[in-house]
């Protein structure tokens, strides 16, 4: 299909992009385009202008620090997954990435774009939440940071952005002894999650976890962490039945999505089984 | 020796061209000065059109014209063909209700996506922009989408003139005998099942390029089709109201048809009408969303059936009650598919003394339904094979023994006892035994017990399918020896949709004329070249086209002999053609005096009236062929989640003689995948309130992917058909006929362990979970 007409700008610097964005009411930012281009072609979105970020080279860097990495907003998902240090220090991100989209989508799509879209059935968001990512936002001449949990709240636009541009995603490295995984039940047609969990556990003394981060996607209204379940895992050792009860309690606190493809009940069941099977596996490792 | 001959798995000659972008699909054709057409479609499933305002659209940049139904009516355009309705006589002897489908809707729309107006502009982008400016006032009406509900007399009638949603009430068979069989049976197996609706989803969307030559008063249409002649006649006779010779239809490469590309759709006469009116070519290409809303869909039956058995498990009779959903309009063959297409196919491969098949066809606010790979025969096979399985369990004979007891045995071939199917050949026990051995059936219970320890339900399902391939029509072929290029041009009336006809015709001509593959050029559809053509459909191409090509090559050789006799100074009776030996030469019998085919063609130019050596062939096949085989499927189900995996799939088929085993394997694999697609996930959902197609894109409509499917173990027992010269039995639809019941029977075998007795297609993890969960709650 063919989009409705729009103005197009391809700024070379962030300042230029920000200034265009402040001038153009109703402009859309184009990063990897994996959501926007489809919306334009199907005419579900008809912005007056599209500001293309693809020439802003300063957004394309992966910068490793002592404790974490800064991933520029225009870094392609495929590029991120090819980075040796990311592979070594952020295995959860890589495992999630391999389950997200397909090679063609990852070749163009960006992590920052996936967080901005914050699809209820998205994969990257769950990993970002479990890894305690921070989103770097530029606007009105200054930069601010929001935690992934504050950025993805189920309301649009993500992070409540107003004339601002996401410039990077910051991720702390995983601890060397951490056990992590991303598991997903796919919507067969589209490949999105109908129930998925990104889990990172740091084993502690006597069977309890030193730290537990569990984020779920697909089944609940929007991707989110399960703090009560995380707390249960750090509180002490547990038997399988305690785990099951803690999972049920955590699920009781969520609102589930449902449709003709998979009802809310079914999504809840799938998420419960997925959490139970995956946590038992990780804890037994 | 045969260079490229019959019986060999030669590589497909068309693939280099197709995979390097050399294919020529309808959308690839561009005519100088062409304008672009975009169709404005109904957003409502059922509404009155109060007014159409095209003024703003006409004023938009680049717009050449905006067409509405009213203009087309005033111009005298006829309706969109639904030729098959005339074939249906109701049980009371009266004709079926015939829907009237205008090329563009005039005062009423009956499904979401119904065509209302056409915007023609200099560019596609301008046409799309302007299409959004066509203002239509609607008055919404209540909708009916569900098959069973549509048959309920209290549902609103979407065709008031019919008085209800019933298009026809049809029956075939001996009703009294079938009822008596049930009344006198030792056991009656009863079953209600849904044969779910399918969105066809060919890889290549439909497209059309219409042209008009004013001097010759003649139209040309480039279109993806399954037969240019049938399409030409329907568009010319039914819609444009012109002599068929005034229309030339051209189809080159086609990216999948599956029945759906056979029909005369509204867009085709539309581009032709517009081309004549505007004096320039007009092009339309569907996007995927339009394909979902405007390509005919498949299946959609709800059936209740009873199978009567005697004390030994022999079939006494079958009584069938089907409601078939035809959609908003009767499509070209729509009325034929649930009725005459499968007639008596419900008897399967069994001795059946009595059948009665009662079909009520309903009209609904959904996309019209028509032939989909198998066209009525998969529906029939699904029914009898589900019934046989259920009867096997109910009687304690089991699904294998009950089938064996009712098989028409090989010793009784040929068999002709109505209403069983008239088989010319077949050995059902042999195919079944081979399939069971390949499935390692002996060790199944052991495998099942092992899986049970992991909390998995393992099931094994069997289907013994049969298909009746099409017959009774004429096919045409033409051969032309091109002496300059040293090639032979081959034309047949059955066109490829991607199946590999080019390769098979090349093999056949190679074996007849002794040519290399690169000396044979196979052409696709052009209604000007041949006097007629049966097209692709009904798994008949292999015997119809080789039949016609056989006649043409015999004629060609006879013509060539005359010239060769002259050149070699011998009597015609002493000339032989050595094509079967792999030599394209005429020779004097018992000598080394010879002359090459192309040399003969060069001589022909001087000697005969015709410019070159050419020959035509017509072939009429009266007999159907009956491909059949055993499919076995093994499925593993996770009790907690409903996730499932097909762990084994075996097909042992009898396709008679196989010309190219690799191409047949491709047909079997593709057919199985299409059948499994329907059984394991393709779900077409219309909203009950609004009539909107909820599964209107690949975001919602699942299609099978490679990693959803197992390795297919396919093999052939070649029992030659006696109904055609080559001894072949068409293979194009067989996989689709066999797969759904093999899979569902396997799922039911697994679910039986958990106390679940019935499930309908499509089976998804969610539907399995609901079934298992429901059974648990019932038990608790």
């Amino acid at each position: 299909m063919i989009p409705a007409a729009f103005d197009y700008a391809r700024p070379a610097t962030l300042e230029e992009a920000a200034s265009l964005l402040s001038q153009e009411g109703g402009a859309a930012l184009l990063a990897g385009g994996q959501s926007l281009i489809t919306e334009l072609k199907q005419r579900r979105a008809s912005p007056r202008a599209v500001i293309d970020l693809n020439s802003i080279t300063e957004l394309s860097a992966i910068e490793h620090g002592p404790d974490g990495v800064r991933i520029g907003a225009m870094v392609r998902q495929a590029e991120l997954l090819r980075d040796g240090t990311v592979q070594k220090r952020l295995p959860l991100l890589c495992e999630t990435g391999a389950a997200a989209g397909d090679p063609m989508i990852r070749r163009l799509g960006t992590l920052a774009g996936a967080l901005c879209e914050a699809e209820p059935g998205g994969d990257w968001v769950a990993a970002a939440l479990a890894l305690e990512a921070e989103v770097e936002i530029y606007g009105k001449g200054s930069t601010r940071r929001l935690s992934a949990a504050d950025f993805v709240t189920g309301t649009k636009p993500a992070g409540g952005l107003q004339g601002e541009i996401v410039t990077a995603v910051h991720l702390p490295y995983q601890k060397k002894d951490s056990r992590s995984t991303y598991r997903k039940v796919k919507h067969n047609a589209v490949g999105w999650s109908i129930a998925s969990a990104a889990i990172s556990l740091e084993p502690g003394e006597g069977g309890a976890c030193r730290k537990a981060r569990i984020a779920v996607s697909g089944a609940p209204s929007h991707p989110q962490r399960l703090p009560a379940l995380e707390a249960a895992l750090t509180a002490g050792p547990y038997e399988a039945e305690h785990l099951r009860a803690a999972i049920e309690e955590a699920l009781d606190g969520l609102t589930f999505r449902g449709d003709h493809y998979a009802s809310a009940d079914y999504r809840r069941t799938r998420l419960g089984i997925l959490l139970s099977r995956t946590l038992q596996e990780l804890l037994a490792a | 020796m045969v260079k490229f001959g019959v019986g060999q798995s030669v590589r497909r000659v068309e693939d280099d061209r197709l995979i390097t972008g050399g294919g020529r699909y309808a959308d690839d054709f561009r005519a100088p000065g062409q304008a672009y057409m975009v169709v404005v479609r109904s957003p409502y499933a059922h509404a009155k059109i109060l007014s159409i305002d095209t003024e703003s659209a006409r004023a938009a940049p680049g717009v050449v014209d905006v067409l509405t139904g009213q203009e087309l009516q005033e111009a005298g355009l006829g309706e969109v063909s639904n030729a098959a309705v005339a074939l249906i006589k109701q049980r009371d002897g009266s004709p079926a209700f015939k829907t009237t489908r205008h090329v563009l809707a005039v005062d009423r729309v009956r499904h979401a996506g119904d065509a209302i107006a056409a915007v023609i502009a200099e560019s596609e982008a301008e046409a799309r922009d302007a299409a959004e400016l066509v203002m239509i006032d609607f008055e919404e009406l209540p909708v009916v989408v569900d098959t069973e509900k549509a048959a309920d007399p209290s549902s609103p009638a979407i065709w008031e003139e019919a008085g209800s949603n019933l298009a026809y009430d049809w029956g075939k068979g001996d009703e009294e005998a079938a009822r008596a069989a049930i009344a006198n049976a030792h056991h009656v197996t009863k079953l209600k099942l849904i044969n779910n609706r399918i969105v066809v989803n060919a890889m290549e969307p439909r497209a059309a390029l219409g042209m008009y030559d004013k001097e010759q008063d003649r139209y040309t249409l480039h279109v993806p089709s399954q037969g240019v002649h049938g399409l030409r006649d329907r568009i010319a006779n039914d819609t444009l109201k012109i002599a068929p010779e005034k229309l030339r239809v051209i189809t080159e490469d086609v990216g999948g048809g599956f029945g759906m590309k056979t029909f005369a759709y509204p867009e085709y006469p539309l581009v032709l009408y517009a081309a004549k009116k505007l004096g320039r070519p007009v092009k339309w290409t569907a996007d995927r969303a339009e394909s979902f809303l405007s390509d005919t869909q498949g299946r959609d039956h709800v059936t209740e059936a009873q199978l009567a058995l005697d004390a030994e498990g022999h079939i006494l009779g079958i009584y069938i009650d089907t409601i078939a959903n035809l959609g908003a309009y009767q499509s070209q063959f729509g009325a034929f598919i649930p009725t005459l297409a499968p007639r008596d196919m419900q008897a399967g491969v069994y001795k059946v003394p009595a059948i009665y098949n009662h079909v009520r066809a309903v009209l609904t606010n959904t996309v019209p339904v028509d032939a989909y790979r198998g066209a009525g025969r998969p529906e029939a096979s699904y029914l009898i094979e589900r019934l046989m399985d259920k009867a096997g369990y109910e009687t304690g004979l089991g699904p294998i023994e009950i089938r064996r007891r009712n098989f028409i045995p090989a010793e009784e071939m040929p068999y002709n006892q109505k209403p069983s199917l008239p088989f010319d050949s077949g050995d059902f026990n042999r195919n079944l035994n081979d399939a069971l051995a390949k499935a390692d059936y002996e060790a199944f219970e052991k495998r099942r017990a092992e899986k049970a320890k992991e909390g998995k339900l393992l099931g094994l399902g069997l289907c013994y399918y049969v298909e009746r391939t099409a017959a009774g029509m004429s096919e045409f072929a033409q051969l032309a020896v091109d002496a300059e290029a040293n090639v032979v041009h081959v034309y047949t009336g059955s066109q490829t949709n991607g199946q590999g006809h080019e390769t098979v015709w090349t093999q056949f001509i190679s074996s007849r004329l002794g040519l290399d593959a690169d000396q044979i050029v196979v052409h696709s559809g052009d209604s000007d070249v041949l006097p007629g053509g049966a097209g692709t459909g009904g798994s008949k191409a292999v015997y119809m086209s080789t039949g016609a090509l056989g006649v043409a090559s015999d004629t060609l050789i006879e013509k060539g002999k005359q010239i060769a006799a002259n050149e070699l100074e011998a009597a015609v009776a002493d000339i032989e053609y050595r094509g079967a030996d792999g030599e394209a030469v005429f020779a004097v019998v018992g000598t080394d005096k010879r002359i090459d085919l192309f040399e003969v063609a060069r001589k022909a130019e001087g000697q005969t009236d015709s410019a070159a050596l050419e020959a035509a062939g017509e072939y009429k096949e009266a007999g159907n062929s009956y491909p059949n085989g055993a499919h076995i499927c093994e499925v593993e189900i996770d009790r907690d989640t409903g996730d499932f995996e097909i762990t084994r799939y075996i097909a042992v088929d009898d396709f008679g003689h196989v010309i190219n085993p690799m191409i047949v394997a491709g047909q079997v694999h593709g057919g199985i995948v299409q059948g499994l697609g329907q059984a394991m996930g393709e779900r077409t959902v219309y909203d009950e309130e609004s009539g909107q197609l909820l599964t209107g894109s690949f975001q919602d409509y699942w299609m099978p992917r490679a990693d959803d499917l197992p390795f297919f173990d396919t093999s052939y027992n070649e029992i030659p058909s006696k109904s055609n010269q080559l001894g072949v039995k068409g293979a194009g639809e067989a996989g689709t006929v066999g797969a759904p019941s093999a899979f569902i029977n396997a799922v039911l075998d697994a679910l039986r362990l958990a106390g679940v007795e019935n499930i309908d297609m499509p089976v998804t993890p969610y539907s399995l979970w609901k079934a298992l969960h429901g059974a648990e709650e019932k038990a608790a």
Side-chain angles (χ1 to χ4, degrees), chain B residues 43-48 50 137-143 689-690 692:
Chain B
Y44 297 109
H46 196 196
K48 276 185 194 163
L50 301 178
D137 273 339
F138 295 100
E139 181 189 322
E140 276 189 82
L141 296 167
V143 307
E689 295 292 316
S690 68
Q692 297 297 323

Side-chain angles (χ1 to χ4, degrees), chain B residues 67-90:
Chain B
L67 305 176
T68 61
Q70 199 188 336
E71 174 184 334
L72 301 184
Q73 274 203 318
E74 284 161 9
L77 243 65
E79 50 191 277
V80 181
S81 176
N82 53 13
V85 180
L87 302 173
I88 303 297
K89 213 174 232 169
Q90 300 202 80

Side-chain angles (χ1 to χ4, degrees), chain A residues 140-163:
Chain A
K140 299 165 193 111
S142 67
T143 297
R144 64 185 177 113
R145 280 204 200 184
L146 270 183
S147 72
D150 288 335
F151 188 77
V152 179
T153 57
T155 54
K156 286 220 160 184
L161 300 190
Q162 294 262 331

Side-chain angles (χ1 to χ4, degrees), chain A residues 1 43 188-189 263 266 270, chain B residues 129 132 287 641 643 705 766:
Chain A
M1 286 210 38
R43 300 199 171 192
N188 277 342
S263 69
Y266 182 57
R270 292 304 307 250
Chain B
D129 284 341
E132 292 183 359
D287 62 28
T641 62
D643 281 341
R705 294 173 167 87
Y766 177 41

Side-chain angles (χ1 to χ4, degrees), chain B residues 198-216:
Chain B
I198 291 292
V199 178
V200 178
N201 283 323
M203 211 184 283
E204 177 210 16
R206 289 188 300 114
L209 171 61
M211 295 182 277
Y212 178 72
D213 182 332
K214 200 174 168 187
E215 269 159 41
Q216 293 190 46

Side-chain angles (χ1 to χ4, degrees), chain B residues 218 232-233 236-237 242-248:
Chain B
R218 200 154 185 262
R232 175 196 64 184
D233 293 352
N237 292 330
I242 54 171
E245 310 83 71
K246 292 281 180 193
L247 172 61
R248 177 184 186 187

Side-chain angles (χ1 to χ4, degrees), chain A residues 260, chain B residues 45 110-112 143-146 197-199 292-297 300 325 327-328 364-369 683-696:
Chain A
H260 67 86
Chain B
R110 287 188 169 85
H111 70 89
V143 307
V144 183
V145 295
D146 181 77
R197 182 185 281 240
I198 291 292
V199 178
F292 270 91
L293 291 173
S294 71
D295 293 353
T296 54
Q297 301 180 348
D300 205 341
N325 191 337
T364 58
N365 296 114
T366 61
V367 174
V369 175
R683 245 177 112 231
T684 310
V685 185
Y686 287 93
D687 186 79
E688 295 267 334
E689 295 292 316
S690 68
Q692 297 297 323
L693 177 60
L694 298 180
T695 51

